[in-house]
Amino acid sequence: MILDRFKVDGRVAVVTGAGRGIGAATAVALAEAGAHVVLSARHAGQLQKVAAQVEEAGRRALVVPADLMDLQAVAALADAAQEEFGRLDIVVNNVGGTIPNALLDTDSDYLEEAFHFNVSTAHALVRAAVPHMLAHDGGSVVNISSVMGRLSGRGYLAYGTAKAALAHYTRLAARDLSPHVRVNAIAVGSVMTSALEFVASDEAVKASMESVTPLGGIGDPQDIAAAVLYLSSKAGSYVTGKVLEVDGGLDQPNLDLGLPDLNLGEKS
């Protein structure tokens, strides 16, 4: 049956940023499809709640609270999976993000921090995970990028640049690691997570975002989790080096930050 290709029975996944939102939904989806999951994020309490859902699905969860800006802590998740479960098959690089900022307020340190959080963390985990994947049947990496990695909008310079870098990292890593490790990414649109809580409380902003989105709504974390499962499972076994756009059809940013034009003659 075709649905069997979406099963990941006996596989082991590492999901970063797994305490809430897309990461939590992804961890639970992978568990429901058969995988044991290593969960990591900063807050242990959030991870424990997700772990309980993983266990309700009949799978095991390993909770690893960590500051994932620390590249050694991120890389250590691969060894933690090996030690706890004896293998590692799936990596979901979900941790990331950067607060929007005007260009003149985005200094070089801010830009480098965005790159570190969105790209360097992913590379640290991939590099640590690949030897464990090669020891068995290979594996799959899914990087969570963003629609802002391909669209332009004011205020998104650091975030969009970092996510664009992650998308191209995906293509390059896929070539380096083929044929045994597949590497893909998801360009995520606006998804109703804690980062968009203000949208839910402002009907005018929400309506504006929905009107710009061709499918007329804001995404759900499970929309992304389903795409991760596809790319992680045999269903996506002939896909590598690709960026899957799960964004409601966006061809322009749907959240205008309202940054004004710069004024000629204005001094800092």
Side-chain angles (χ1 to χ4, degrees), residues 15 17-20 23-24 27-28 37-57 59-66:
V15 182
R20 58 187 180 180
V28 174
V37 189
V38 178
L39 309 167
S40 190
R42 188 185 297 272
H43 300 293
Q46 293 177 344
L47 293 173
Q48 291 293 351
K49 292 179 181 178
V50 180
Q53 293 179 272
V54 169
E55 290 163 0
E56 286 175 6
R59 303 302 166 184
R60 294 166 55 199
L62 174 64
V63 169
V64 185

Side-chain angles (χ1 to χ4, degrees), residues 48-212:
Q48 291 293 351
K49 292 179 181 178
V50 180
Q53 293 179 272
V54 169
E55 290 163 0
E56 286 175 6
R59 303 302 166 184
R60 294 166 55 199
L62 174 64
V63 169
V64 185
D67 176 3
L68 297 179
M69 281 289 283
D70 181 341
L71 299 185
Q72 291 184 339
V74 176
L77 297 174
D79 287 341
Q82 180 66 34
E83 292 169 8
E84 180 73 13
F85 299 111
R87 62 185 299 141
L88 175 56
D89 308 280
I90 300 164
V91 164
V92 182
N93 284 307
N94 171 64
V95 72
T98 303
I99 296 173
N101 221 355
L103 186 148
L104 293 182
D105 295 325
T106 301
D107 61 20
S108 296
D109 288 342
Y110 195 86
L111 187 61
E112 289 182 8
E113 183 178 283
F115 187 92
H116 178 101
F117 195 34
N118 292 276
V119 184
S120 297
T121 54
H123 178 62
L125 182 50
V126 168
R127 188 164 177 261
V130 166
H132 297 305
M133 292 177 168
L134 294 178
H136 293 281
D137 304 320
S140 174
V141 174
V142 182
N143 298 318
I144 303 301
S145 185
S146 169
V147 65
M148 292 313 302
R150 65 179 176 85
L151 301 180
S152 61
R154 283 185 177 173
Y156 297 101
L157 185 139
Y159 178 71
T161 298
K163 289 302 190 183
L166 182 61
H168 199 51
Y169 171 90
T170 296
R171 301 180 187 100
L172 296 169
R175 175 67 68 152
D176 282 344
L177 299 178
S178 62
H180 301 299
V181 177
R182 296 185 298 107
V183 186
N184 293 287
I186 300 173
V188 175
S190 296
V191 175
M192 191 56 75
T193 66
S194 58
L196 283 182
E197 284 177 351
F198 73 95
V199 172
S201 62
D202 190 325
E203 287 300 325
V205 173
K206 183 179 179 183
S208 175
M209 293 179 69
E210 291 175 337
S211 70
V212 175

Side-chain angles (χ1 to χ4, degrees), residues 212-267:
V212 175
T213 305
L215 287 183
I218 295 173
D220 185 273
Q222 289 192 340
D223 295 327
I224 311 304
V228 172
L229 178 58
Y230 163 66
L231 293 173
S232 301
S233 66
K234 288 183 179 179
S237 62
Y238 200 51
V239 181
T240 196
K242 303 304 178 186
V243 180
L244 179 61
E245 297 169 4
V246 185
D247 57 15
L250 285 174
D251 54 13
Q252 66 183 87
N254 63 353
L255 179 59
D256 184 354
L257 300 175
L259 297 178
D261 291 352
L262 300 178
N263 293 322
L264 291 174
E266 184 176 291
K267 295 182 179 180

